Amino acid sequence: MSTLDQNSRPTVKPRSELDRRLDLGFIWLTRIFALAIAAILIWITVQVAIQALPAITTFGLGFLAKSAWNPVNNDYGVLPQVYGTLVSALIGLLIAVPIGVGTAVLLSENLLPAPVRTVLVFLVELLAAIPSVVYGIWAIFVLIPLITPAGRWLNSTLGFLPIFSTPPTGPGLFPAGIILAIMTLPIITAISRDALIAVPSALRQAAVGLGATRWETILKVIIPAAFSGIVSAVMLALGRAMGETMAVTMIIGNSNNISPSLFAPSNTISSLLANQFAEASGLQVNSLMYAALVLFVLTLGVNILAELIVLRVKRI
């Protein structure tokens, strides 16, 4: 090897003991933060479970199958609330997922001029910054009067169907589902857009090189490649919808009855907690804690299901 080659070779400065200690300290610091998050989650679960223990021992799993909520007789059950939580979240997702994924495709595939895309991204993100109580007020004074005529027409025309069997009288399950759709739309759009942008450009170029049109490339190549990220966005939005409190409390009707009609008043676990907790005492507090534990288990189950789906998709 020539002298020039030896001189031009970059020299690697040996790391000092201080640098190694700093790196090791940073690693342990991140581990502590990660363990702290898990510890906080476990601590919250244990505290809620301890407070709910008297109701758990009194009602058992029958708490999930009873419809009564009677503080006078200390008779409690959360079946209507579980039904309202799941159905309202499902309605929200059925509306938000097509719109959110479609908007994500529109914003990630350069289908619009750059200034227009920038404005739309800002507006979508702005939806997440609006307080939930503002959504509730808007729904009371704008959304419900807007959808009531259409609901009455559906009831008079298709009232033989169970989902339209009740005429709309104001607050109900369907307005709550629409509000949840609007509130979860930023989550679905933002995460789906990031997943679509992360798809390697080589896949796009290969599909176009094989003769695929732009929409064939999007539908058959890009969306399947980003499917795990889109599923994560939907499941995260589902958890958000199931835990929403204030806006849903204002417009769902807070009725402890189960009805197949979309326009009938209903209730959710979050609404139950918001309405009852301030004046609760004794076994009613324990029952509310039991209901909170049920909601926690439902949201945890949604997140576990999301992880399983994502892992399964990645293996395919």
Side-chain angles (χ1 to χ4, degrees), residues 20-230:
R20 288 195 292 268
R21 289 183 179 274
L22 288 175
D23 288 345
L24 184 61
F26 178 77
I27 292 172
W28 277 105
L29 184 63
T30 55
R31 288 176 180 175
I32 291 172
F33 286 158
L35 293 174
I37 293 174
I40 291 172
L41 181 63
I42 295 173
W43 179 57
I44 292 174
T45 306
V46 170
Q47 290 298 317
V48 173
I50 291 173
Q51 295 293 325
L53 190 58
I56 294 173
T57 56
T58 301
F59 302 111
L61 294 178
F63 185 74
L64 303 176
K66 295 174 62 177
S67 299
W69 191 271
N70 191 341
V72 177
N73 298 327
N74 277 332
D75 188 19
Y76 303 105
V78 290
L79 181 60
Q81 289 79 13
V82 172
Y83 171 82
T85 299
L86 296 176
V87 174
S88 61
L90 181 61
I91 293 172
L93 286 187
L94 289 176
I95 298 173
V97 169
I99 298 175
V101 175
T103 304
V105 171
L106 190 68
L107 297 177
S108 63
E109 295 303 316
N110 298 325
L111 300 176
L112 294 172
V116 178
R117 290 202 311 272
T118 303
V119 173
L120 287 178
V121 169
F122 172 75
L123 293 177
V124 170
E125 293 175 351
L126 187 63
L127 288 176
I130 299 175
S132 61
V133 66
V134 176
Y135 280 115
I137 294 174
W138 176 80
I140 291 173
F141 292 102
V142 178
L143 178 63
I144 292 178
L146 189 65
I147 66 174
T148 296
R152 289 175 179 169
W153 179 82
L154 289 171
N155 173 254
S156 62
T157 307
L158 302 173
F160 58 90
L161 297 175
I163 59 174
F164 303 129
S165 59
T166 302
T169 57
L173 199 58
F174 188 62
I178 295 178
I179 285 298
L180 289 176
I182 297 173
M183 297 181 73
T184 57
L185 191 60
I187 298 175
I188 297 174
T189 303
I191 299 178
S192 299
R193 177 173 175 265
D194 290 340
L196 292 168
I197 291 176
V199 175
S201 58
L203 291 179
R204 295 174 170 85
Q205 296 170 1
V208 174
L210 292 173
T213 64
R214 190 168 197 175
W215 286 107
E216 287 175 340
T217 303
I218 292 173
L219 295 176
K220 297 181 180 181
V221 177
I222 298 175
I223 291 180
F227 187 70
S228 60
I230 295 173

Side-chain angles (χ1 to χ4, degrees), residues 9 237 250 261:
R9 178 181 298 175
M250 296 173 68
S261 177

